Each structure stands twice: as C-alpha cells, then as structure tokens.
Amino acid sequence: MGKKAKLKKLRRELKTNPATEKSFQSTQFVEQFTKLGYQLEQIERSPDVPSKKIEPKL
C-alpha cells in the first residue's frame, strides 16, 4: 500500500469515526513520568551559563 493510499484510508476513517476528545487529568502526566522512572520532585537543573567569555586553551 502506498503512502497516498494510507493517507486516504486514514482520512476516510476519520470522517466515519470522528475522534472523541480525550480529557486528561493533570496527574496523569506525572504518573506516566514516574512509570518511566523519572522523579519530577528531584530534577537536577543544568548549571548557569558563565557570563565571562572563556577562551579555549591551546
């Protein structure tokens, strides 16, 4: 099946079955990240960029 045929099929399916809007809770985002192993409470921020221009050492 070609690329255009797939797109045409998707458009046809969307017309027959309109997508229902999913209502996400704000806690779902946090829950998904904790399942992936991230801990949002303990995020380590990147260090600030130095204001001085550092010249490379040769």
Side-chain angles (χ1 to χ4, degrees):
M1 185 184 284
K3 187 176 182 180
K4 288 185 179 182
K6 287 180 184 178
L7 291 173
K8 189 175 182 181
K9 183 179 176 183
L10 286 173
R11 280 192 224 112
R12 225 181 296 135
E13 288 175 359
L14 286 175
K15 285 182 182 178
T16 57
N17 300 328
T20 57
E21 293 184 27
K22 297 179 182 177
S23 59
F24 290 105
Q25 295 177 359
S26 60
T27 57
Q28 268 184 322
F29 176 77
V30 176
E31 289 173 4
Q32 287 177 347
F33 265 64
T34 53
K35 286 180 185 177
L36 293 172
Y38 295 103
Q39 297 176 354
L40 295 177
E41 292 84 24
Q42 299 174 356
I43 296 176
E44 293 182 18
R45 306 264 182 232
S46 61
D48 292 332
V49 178
S51 58
K52 299 177 186 176
K53 186 173 181 179
I54 299 173
E55 294 295 326
K57 295 181 181 178
L58 299 176

